[in-house]
Amino acid sequence: MLFYSFFKSLVGKDVVVELKNDLSCHTGKRRVDMDSCCRIAICGTLHSVDQYLNIKLTDISVTDPEKYPHMLSVKNCFIRGSVVRYVQLPADEVDTQLLQDAARKEALQQKQ
Amino acid sequence: AQDITLRDTSDSGVSVFVLHPAFFYRDLYLLLFQGQFISTFVGHLLANLVLHQTVERIHVGKKYGDIPRGIFVVRGENVVLLGEIDLEKESDTPLQQVSIEEILEEQRVEQQTRLEAEKLKVQALKDRGLSLPRADTLDEY
């Protein structure tokens, strides 16, 4: 719940979502070449988030459009929470101290 | 459980696309769907999608080709991203549409060059006593 609330507080801010999409292509016994792993990073405005940390972004742009021409005509998108690797946040929008304290509290509560 | 707004936009026939990694091995396979959602998706349990008038779009470099696919059923757990296509942006795309045969040929060529490059890489690593990590040792979810 903590990060759900956290992301809710960031609605309207610009973020970059990096997907871990490529790993699911490499299930099983096949060898993986990490360099050729596609790692799409999508920049956009955080529109909404849900309890599963699915993300909706508006006004998106892909950080490497030559590699991923697929998204050129997409403005808004929904990203399934389970495929997100990173969410890059604007540094001045996040109070890391507060977040750290809240996370500790949550961890303690979960232990009980 | 919320209804995600993509459902609403689909009623007006707006195109959406689904980034679908599980479909073709190794590749981030992109499927471009035009048409309507028939089923809803509720919260995170992205329910299985049933789409009609689907069009599969293959991208190679700056070219693309469309293959009409009819009705598609997609299992929700495979969905990575759903993008709402902006029809204006779509109409002034810098990409060039080509015929199905041509795009499939381009794809085959690209696939081949990639496999060859990878073979060389694997051999080079082998020669140095290294190997690529196995997929099952990487964390998945």
Side-chain angles (χ1 to χ4, degrees):
Chain A
M1 278 313 287
L2 170 68
F3 280 96
Y4 173 41
S5 314
F6 171 67
F7 280 119
K8 271 205 288 194
S9 74
L10 290 172
V11 165
K13 306 287 184 286
D14 288 341
V15 298
V16 181
V17 178
E18 191 176 323
L19 308 184
K20 57 172 164 175
N21 51 303
D22 198 63
L23 277 188
S24 35
C25 304
H26 297 289
T27 48
K29 301 298 180 188
R30 294 200 10 260
R31 301 263 165 193
V32 176
D33 177 1
M34 292 303 282
D35 288 334
S36 73
C37 276
C38 15
R39 290 179 138 222
I40 299 189
I42 301 169
C43 181
T45 311
L46 185 63
H47 173 273
S48 61
V49 68
D50 68 10
Q51 52 169 323
Y52 301 98
L53 304 186
N54 295 329
I55 292 173
K56 265 185 98 176
L57 295 178
T58 55
D59 269 326
I60 61 166
S61 59
V62 180
T63 52
D64 196 351
E66 275 90 54
K67 240 182 143 192
Y68 306 109
H70 326 81
M71 306 273 289
L72 282 179
S73 38
V74 176
K75 256 176 118 178
N76 310 322
C77 71
F78 165 91
I79 302 174
R80 199 182 146 113
S82 60
V83 304
V84 173
R85 183 183 302 282
Y86 303 121
V87 180
Q88 296 165 19
L89 308 166
D92 41 352
E93 296 290 347
V94 179
D95 184 346
T96 46
Q97 199 52 50
L98 203 63
L99 189 59
Q100 203 168 21
D101 293 341
R104 276 204 201 99
K105 275 201 205 110
E106 173 123 334
L108 283 172
Q109 280 170 5
Q110 281 185 353
K111 268 193 188 168
Q112 286 159 4
Chain B
Q2 319 145 325
D3 218 353
I4 302 179
T5 51
L6 274 174
R7 169 78 201 239
D8 302 331
T9 56
S10 76
D11 290 341
S12 57
V14 172
S15 321
V16 291
F17 82 72
V18 171
L19 218 55
H20 203 300
F23 238 67
F24 270 68
Y25 95 103
R26 187 165 207 40
D27 262 328
L28 192 68
Y29 200 80
L30 176 76
L31 303 175
L32 184 77
F33 297 125
Q34 295 210 307
Q36 301 177 333
F37 281 108
I38 296 173
S39 68
T40 41
F41 32 104
V42 179
H44 128 95
L45 285 172
L46 209 64
N48 303 325
L49 307 171
V50 181
L51 300 143
H52 75 237
Q53 294 170 356
T54 57
V55 169
E56 179 182 322
R57 180 168 291 184
I58 302 178
H59 285 268
V60 179
K62 286 222 181 286
K63 303 189 188 156
Y64 70 89
D66 286 344
I67 308 174
R69 292 293 195 185
I71 299 186
F72 242 72
V73 174
V74 179
R75 192 179 160 95
E77 69 172 331
N78 299 306
V79 174
V80 172
L81 183 153
L82 281 158
E84 183 187 338
I85 293 187
D86 185 70
L87 294 172
E88 268 181 34
K89 269 184 157 193
E90 170 86 343
S91 50
D92 46 47
T93 179
L95 305 175
Q96 174 204 6
Q97 180 167 23
V98 299
S99 70
I100 298 177
E101 295 81 25
E102 194 178 330
I103 200 70
L104 288 174
E105 178 59 24
E106 298 259 352
Q107 189 184 45
R108 193 189 59 80
V109 168
E110 186 191 51
Q111 188 95 308
Q112 201 155 358
T113 29
R114 197 151 20 101
L115 285 175
E116 279 165 19
E118 184 161 336
K119 246 195 238 175
L120 292 173
K121 230 190 256 195
V122 171
Q123 189 56 43
L125 286 171
K126 231 176 156 188
D127 292 342
R128 287 157 178 78
L130 303 165
S131 69
L132 292 173
R134 293 167 71 98
D136 54 7
T137 62
L138 299 169
D139 74 337
E140 274 222 6
Y141 289 91

